[in-house]
Amino acid sequence: MGMTMTQKILAAHAGLSSVRAGDLIEADLDLVLGNDITSPVAIREMDRFSAQGVFNKDKIALVPDHFVPNKDIKSAENCKCVREFARRNEITNYFEVGEMGIEHALLPEKGLVIPGDAVIGADSHTCTYGALGAFSTGVGSTDMAAGMATGRAWFKVPSAIRFELTGELPAMVSGKDLILHIIGMIGVDGALYQSMEFTGPGVSSLSMDDRFTIANMAIEAGAKNGIFPVDEKTAAYVEEHWNARQHPAAGEGKDSISAFLKERTFLPDEDAPYTAVYEIDLTKVQPTVSFPHLPENARTFDEIGDIAIDQVVIGSCTNGRIDDIRTAASILKGRHVAPGIRCIIIPATQAVYLQAMEEGLLKIFIEAGAVVSTPTCGPCLGGYMGVLAAKERCVSTTNRNFVGRMGDVTSEIYLASPATAAASALTGKLTDPRSVV
Amino acid sequence: MEKARGRVFRYGDNVDTDVIIPARYLNTSEPKELAAHCMEDIDQNFIHEVRTGDIIVADKNFGCGSSREHAPIAIKAAGVSCVIAQTFARIFYRNAINIGLAIVECEEAPARIKAGDVVSVDFDTGIITDETTGETFKGQAFPPFMQEIIDAGGLVSYINTKQA
């Protein structure tokens, strides 16, 4: 029997010619990731290993991004713990405030994940890198510790659901709308323990930033990973962000790198087993909003009445990339946020921030009455930089709208695209972006 | 870890890790501090009523959302001896095994067990007994590899044993 994309990558990393769903395997890891919340727990676990030290100082990425710049004394201690561990172990890819960004936007940008990689990260949205044709999945701190110590992790080979995409997304409709639509269709455990593989002629029309957004939220359907096939857009992205230090085996020069990437490109076999196949016509996808308190509560604007809001957040590992920031700016340009609405915009990395500045987008935001923050996960998980009071409502481009996620347990989060969030900031209520352009 | 026995706290579908331990408390990873806020956003009474050995019973997709290991750590430190659910979210499932929090997947039991029932779980046989009603259920066994990790007392000890 054939294999899915995910199964091929796992087989290659386990030194096996083939694997099947349900097999328990041990795989070599190309990268192990942690942040300021999860790493301290892993670092403490590291002390319990009989073999000390890390397996490879270049293949660990430590990104303090959740509660930085330090929001309080305890957070400062956590960051200090990560920083000192990184120094002690000479971790190459430690990113201090000033260099850091939201981990899942930062790592691809720094060329730390490439097609065919197997990556674990102690953060559930590690599945983002599936956009690059890599296998990547979120784990807990103990798995992270074991990964840092041994360079290996155990996996149960997942079965997979295939999403066959055709057509192109209409104007003002993005990858975020598509993934919210899909989660609405299959539910928050619709892909539990499985891979979500996105294939079909529609893939080529999706920008890399859209693909990152889509893969990012695979976990919101319970999936182990989400993954896209590698195509010309992927190759162009990877070459643009090439990090020679990380991939000495690729050699030098464009041809050598292309050949290296080709070897790491895994497409599904014709007879790859899928537990379900969904055909999705991208031309039919509409602006979609997930209502409280689950990402599966997806609605389109024909099912949305007047919902007055208090805050808008545009950013996060889901939607803080340059395409997202540009979309928000295109809607806010020359206009003003509705009175009483707090609009918080968070470019996901320093590079996105700088790009936004160079393109004049920051000026647009400030003139529109929005605030622009340094990269942080802060508001997405109710840490800081936009925590909600009782009964407040927020339209957010983040990924979860669970009870209490962004603040008080009676507050409400409406998950949406950057376009919908920006349009809603202008009117002070949930607004279809097509109605304001 | 042969047997768990305790009173049941009963929850529904999709209990996420944000309600198990809200992120506002993630500036610490101290088990006792985390336990003090365990389940706070879904059940304010939990931490005042839970006693060592008690059992959580839930429906589908328990532990969905964030990968924070602080969630199973908080539950374990609160004294919970076992979580029974129809299904677990996969990262929570891994984390529980890795840190030695007992979990059992069982399709039938959650629908029949009520809050406050006294339930026991025999880990050797996978048999769940609702002592209040007298009903028994069969939980799903772990694959042998995972059982080895559990028997070793978690992932770190397992790896140490293997490398010794």
Side-chain angles (χ1 to χ4, degrees):
Chain A
M1 199 196 303
M3 289 190 284
T4 65
M5 291 185 270
T6 303
Q7 290 168 354
K8 284 186 177 181
I9 296 172
L10 287 175
H13 283 79
L16 300 168
S17 56
S18 76
V19 295
R20 297 175 73 137
D23 289 354
L24 282 159
I25 58 155
E26 240 192 316
D28 289 324
L29 301 170
D30 296 296
L31 194 73
V32 178
L33 162 71
N35 58 48
D36 52 316
I37 304 284
T38 57
S39 302
V41 181
I43 290 166
R44 204 180 307 151
E45 287 291 294
M46 288 290 282
D47 292 337
R48 294 178 51 220
F49 283 108
S50 36
Q52 289 295 303
V54 300
F55 85 107
N56 185 329
K57 67 183 180 60
D58 297 326
K59 293 189 172 186
I60 291 166
L62 297 173
V63 189
D65 60 356
H66 277 56
F67 292 167
V68 300
N70 306 333
K71 84 174 177 91
D72 55 24
I73 295 170
K74 284 180 178 175
S75 305
E77 292 295 338
N78 276 337
C79 289
K80 191 173 163 192
C81 163
V82 179
R83 183 180 303 117
E84 287 175 353
F85 175 84
R87 266 192 212 142
R88 208 159 56 236
N89 291 281
E90 300 175 333
I91 303 296
T92 325
N93 296 300
Y94 166 76
F95 297 95
E96 190 53 88
V97 168
E99 283 182 283
M100 54 68 74
I102 295 176
E103 50 196 329
H104 309 306
L106 185 72
L107 265 49
E109 195 184 278
K110 295 285 182 187
L112 295 180
V113 184
I114 60 171
D117 274 355
V119 178
I120 61 167
D123 187 281
S124 60
H125 294 106
T126 301
C127 53
T128 307
Y129 318 125
L132 295 166
F135 168 78
S136 60
T137 193
V139 295
S141 297
T142 301
D143 274 315
M144 178 194 172
M148 288 198 291
T150 67
R152 294 169 76 78
W154 67 268
F155 297 108
K156 190 166 155 187
V157 175
S159 58
I161 300 176
R162 189 156 68 93
F163 298 86
E164 176 77 6
L165 312 179
T166 57
E168 277 186 44
L169 291 171
M172 286 294 129
V173 178
S174 69
K176 182 61 165 289
D177 299 294
L178 172 60
I179 190 64
L180 292 179
H181 168 74
I182 288 173
I183 296 165
M185 198 166 68
I186 67 173
V188 292
D189 64 348
L192 194 60
Y193 308 130
Q194 303 198 70
S195 304
M196 292 169 78
E197 301 209 338
F198 302 92
T199 60
V203 168
S204 63
S205 70
L206 295 170
S207 69
M208 286 310 296
D209 284 1
D210 272 335
R211 296 182 204 183
F212 283 122
T213 302
I214 295 164
N216 172 274
M217 288 193 74
I219 178 68
E220 267 35 272
K224 183 172 209 137
N225 68 313
I227 190 166
F228 282 84
V230 174
D231 64 9
E232 285 164 15
K233 277 187 187 165
T234 328
Y237 181 94
V238 171
E239 281 166 25
E240 187 189 335
H241 297 90
W242 190 250
N243 182 335
R245 187 190 63 210
Q246 286 297 123
H247 309 289
E252 284 172 34
K254 202 171 165 14
D255 291 348
S256 175
I257 293 167
S258 296
F260 179 74
L261 287 177
K262 208 152 210 160
E263 273 172 41
R264 306 175 61 88
T265 296
F266 298 92
L267 299 175
D269 287 322
E270 290 271 317
D271 59 343
Y274 288 98
T275 56
V277 178
Y278 293 93
E279 288 177 13
I280 297 175
D281 179 353
L282 297 180
T283 62
K284 301 266 170 65
V285 179
Q286 293 182 49
T288 302
V289 179
S290 286
F291 274 51
H293 290 284
L294 282 176
E296 71 185 20
N297 298 332
R299 294 191 202 175
T300 48
F301 276 92
D302 53 322
E303 309 160 299
I304 295 172
D306 264 9
I307 308 276
I309 60 165
D310 303 285
Q311 179 171 294
V312 168
V313 171
I314 298 171
S316 82
C317 61
T318 310
N319 277 126
R321 297 181 184 79
I322 193 66
D323 278 3
D324 304 316
I325 304 300
R326 283 181 186 137
T327 300
S330 74
I331 290 171
L332 294 174
K333 187 174 185 177
R335 303 191 218 187
H336 204 277
V337 165
I341 302 296
R342 294 108 57 183
C343 181
I344 302 164
I345 296 174
I346 311 178
T349 66
Q350 291 289 77
V352 174
Y353 204 142
L354 190 60
Q355 180 82 26
M357 190 186 83
E358 285 171 355
E359 292 180 18
L361 311 184
L362 303 187
K363 185 163 186 278
I364 292 172
F365 295 137
I366 291 166
E367 285 175 352
V371 295
V372 186
S373 159
T374 189
T376 176
C377 306
C380 172
L381 71 167
Y384 74 117
M385 195 60 78
V387 173
L388 299 173
K391 295 188 178 157
E392 286 191 330
R393 291 192 183 124
C394 179
V395 178
S396 183
T397 68
T398 56
N399 40 58
R400 294 194 172 123
N401 55 356
F402 300 150
V403 169
R405 170 83 177 175
M406 204 176 259
D408 189 89
V409 290
T410 61
S411 63
E412 294 182 345
I413 304 163
Y414 296 77
L415 301 177
S417 71
T420 300
S424 303
L426 290 177
T427 61
K429 58 182 189 175
L430 257 180
T431 298
D432 186 332
R434 296 169 302 192
S435 70
V436 300
V437 291
Chain B
M1 190 173 72
E2 319 75 39
K3 212 161 182 178
R5 184 173 181 279
R7 293 170 315 148
V8 166
F9 288 83
R10 186 72 178 80
Y11 302 105
D13 289 339
N14 306 313
V15 173
D16 60 78
T17 54
D18 276 280
V19 296
I20 296 172
I21 182 70
R24 58 184 176 275
Y25 303 119
L26 294 186
N27 54 7
T28 179
S29 50
E30 205 44 59
K32 284 225 156 60
E33 275 186 68
L34 294 171
H37 301 289
C38 187
M39 310 304 273
E40 186 174 288
D41 282 1
I42 191 176
D43 180 1
Q44 297 231 327
N45 295 324
F46 174 82
I47 204 59
H48 305 294
E49 292 173 5
V50 68
R51 289 200 298 256
T52 302
D54 282 350
I55 289 174
I56 288 176
V57 178
D59 296 321
K60 290 189 308 173
N61 203 24
F62 186 88
C64 63
S66 155
S67 68
R68 61 191 71 160
E69 208 158 285
H70 311 64
I73 290 172
I75 292 174
K76 193 180 174 191
V80 169
S81 63
C82 182
V83 183
I84 301 169
Q86 283 183 314
T87 52
F88 290 90
R90 61 161 287 278
I91 303 177
F92 186 91
Y93 183 94
R94 275 185 91 103
N95 287 348
I97 291 171
N98 286 344
I99 68 149
L101 169 69
I103 53 168
V104 180
E105 259 187 356
C106 180
E107 182 62 38
E108 300 81 30
R112 309 282 304 166
I113 296 173
K114 285 182 220 54
D117 287 3
V118 172
V119 162
S120 59
V121 183
D122 185 324
F123 295 111
D124 293 329
T125 60
I127 301 290
I128 300 162
T129 307
D130 186 331
E131 296 181 6
T132 307
T133 63
E135 282 191 275
T136 62
F137 313 92
K138 181 92 173 89
Q140 215 172 74
F142 290 107
F145 168 74
M146 285 181 216
Q147 192 60 51
E148 278 179 53
I149 297 177
I150 295 164
D151 292 344
L155 186 65
V156 177
S157 313
Y158 171 78
I159 289 172
N160 283 339
T161 320
K162 247 184 29 171
Q163 287 177 341

